[in-house]
Amino acid sequence: MSKIRGMRRRYGFLASSIGVTSAAALALTPALPAAAATTTVSSASAALVAAPPAPAAKRAGTEAADVPGSTQSLPLVPLTEGRARGRTLTTARTLATTPADGAALEQGLRRADVRHFSLLGVVWDNPDTELHGSVQVRTRSVVTGTWSGWQTVETHNADHGADPGTAERATRHVRGATAPLWVGDCDGVDVRVRADTGDRDQGAATDPLLQLPLPSGLRLELVDPGDDPGDGSGDEPTPANPEPDQPRTGELSEAAAAASAANADLAPIGATEIPALDREDTERELFALRGAELTERQRAEPHIGPRPKIVTRRGWGADESLRARGFVYTKKDKVAFVHHTATGNNYTCSEAPSVIRSIYRYHVLSMGWRDIGYNFLVDKCGTIYEGRAGGVAKPVLGAHTMGFNGNSVGIAVIGTYSRSKPSSAAVDAVARLAAWKLGLYGMNPRGKTYLKSAGGNLYQKGKNVRLNVISGHRDGFATDCPGAKLYGKLGTARKAAARYQGR
């Protein structure tokens, strides 16, 4: 990140004292605003809760100074013929190639005067409309002052999200969107969105009548993740053991306390990480957490991997005021779906919390979801992060594999792995996390099980589908995710996870 901008500092994830006691935090039940009431449900319920509308000020990037990060939302416009050919013209006619409804077949925007941002994506009005075309962007780095080459943004992103017909999916605030792309600290952007043709091989590229129109309401979202939790301001020295929320609030907010309290059985309220446990302590914890629900076989042979270290939402700096209140649970976690975030691989491990904060803002404020969609994220160095709020040991209902979010957990490796190989550390982290998380419910990582489809492009609603206990996103939905290279490593992850469980 730029030295020009805020002198961002890197901190370890150290537990800190906070202004809310454990007992008080556990007793908190956040008050629900009348305009966006939600329901906190038990782990036996699969009820869904709609996300509240994103605050207009936060979408516009005009947050108060004490709230980290911002989102700039800029409408795209029809490109001129000169811009479409890569030239800048002061006067040029709008592209004549438009379909019958008048929508331009190429839209874009060039701005060299935007506020700093590090992640971008394109959204549109109707989440059920696909963008049939391409999105290319180039950005200007704050560090070097130079423009990047053109990068392609993944447009097929509808496979991530809440299940069809659910409250989270049906809210009028949900939008269609591309995958987000991490670009580092930038202050200039050039984007072009081009409609696809019906058949390029047959020469249809020149025939506008065979082109599908672009979705309505195209907007460019520029996300600033904000400074790392605990960052000070100006040239003040960095404290040795900073308190992540101290510069903003001085103590945990009500929403932050509730999110932290969901992990109170595993770590103190306000902890920035949940520490690793050895096998013996993990088995002891299993009986404490789920003793009454364990089968006789599980009691005799509690196959569960040692609990790995997990950075909490407080650890990566989640602004808990952004998400919907309350937590939503399914019954249990039978399948782990592995994903890639498709945000690119141009990040350092120390930047991973910033990438996660950016994805979180994009999912909630730009796409209209109730929270970040993934249950967990893993960076290229193998660090595991808590995703959607509600407790890492609980079956939190995510929005990661459309049609199969119920009774499953979504694990996303940060990066794009269609052509790039994932690191061995990342693959091992997926295995360690799955061995523990699936072990809580007695699932064998090398086995198979059934999930009922809620509807998608591979399986109709209501169909019982036999899946690997550790599956790739593409096993439940026709998609490239988690990328061919990461998908090819799932066999390795299954074997390692089974070994961690002592099988």
Side-chain angles (χ1 to χ4, degrees), residues 230-458:
D231 273 3
S233 59
D235 296 323
E236 292 297 317
T238 302
N241 297 303
E243 296 185 21
D245 279 348
Q246 190 68 28
R248 293 183 290 171
T249 64
E251 62 180 28
L252 285 177
S253 66
E254 188 176 3
S260 188
N263 290 314
D265 290 334
L266 312 181
I269 303 298
T272 55
E273 69 174 41
I274 295 168
L277 293 180
D278 60 24
R279 181 181 299 278
E280 183 178 350
D281 286 339
T282 300
E283 291 180 359
R284 186 178 298 113
E285 180 180 78
L286 171 64
F287 282 88
L289 292 174
R290 305 196 65 251
E293 304 168 58
L294 295 177
T295 65
E296 186 173 335
R297 183 172 181 178
Q298 284 177 281
R299 290 175 181 275
E301 296 181 298
H303 290 296
I304 184 170
R307 188 181 76 194
K309 184 184 80 170
I310 302 170
V311 176
T312 65
R313 290 170 64 89
R314 181 169 169 85
W316 56 259
D319 180 354
E320 301 293 354
S321 69
L322 301 183
R323 63 174 174 81
R325 295 194 179 188
F327 311 121
V328 188
Y329 300 98
T330 185
K331 292 182 179 179
K332 55 182 169 180
D333 289 322
K334 297 170 62 180
V335 172
F337 283 106
V338 179
H339 304 256
H340 67 174
T341 60
T343 47
N345 303 316
N346 189 27
Y347 73 94
T348 64
C349 292
S350 63
E351 288 176 321
S354 295
V355 178
I356 297 171
R357 290 198 303 276
S358 298
I359 295 172
Y360 173 46
R361 292 187 68 90
Y362 188 71
H363 282 182
V364 176
L365 297 186
S366 299
M367 298 181 68
W369 297 355
R370 60 173 287 110
D371 195 348
I372 192 169
Y374 309 113
N375 297 106
F376 297 91
L377 298 97
V378 175
D379 68 23
K380 63 178 69 174
C381 290
T383 302
I384 301 169
Y385 302 85
E386 177 184 16
R388 182 165 285 208
V392 297
K394 299 175 182 177
V396 178
L397 184 69
H400 48 83
T401 306
M402 186 180 291
F404 292 98
N405 289 302
N407 294 333
S408 71
V409 55
I411 303 171
V413 180
I414 302 172
T416 303
Y417 299 103
S418 301
R419 295 182 178 87
S420 299
K421 293 182 180 179
S423 67
S424 58
V427 175
D428 184 65
V430 169
R432 288 186 289 110
L433 175 58
W436 171 72
K437 182 67 170 173
L438 295 170
L440 290 170
Y441 301 93
M443 302 305 298
N444 183 347
R446 298 187 70 175
K448 293 181 181 291
T449 189
Y450 284 89
L451 285 184
K452 181 176 289 188
S453 172
N457 63 2
L458 276 183

Side-chain angles (χ1 to χ4, degrees), residues 137-214:
V137 297
R138 62 190 188 112
T139 55
R140 186 177 64 192
S141 168
V142 172
V143 177
T144 66
T146 60
W147 287 86
S148 70
W150 288 99
Q151 299 184 74
T152 299
V153 179
E154 174 58 58
T155 59
H156 300 294
N157 195 45
D159 46 333
H160 297 79
D163 290 342
T166 59
E168 182 176 0
R169 172 71 179 176
T171 171
R172 62 187 177 87
H173 305 289
V174 176
R175 303 170 185 86
T178 68
L181 179 68
W182 176 261
V183 293
D185 199 1
C186 296
D187 61 2
V189 64
D190 195 0
V191 58
R192 57 191 183 195
V193 182
R194 183 175 299 162
D196 207 348
T197 62
D199 189 347
R200 290 185 182 274
D201 292 338
Q202 299 300 319
T206 59
D207 188 350
L209 297 179
L210 297 179
Q211 292 179 303
L212 296 172
L214 294 172

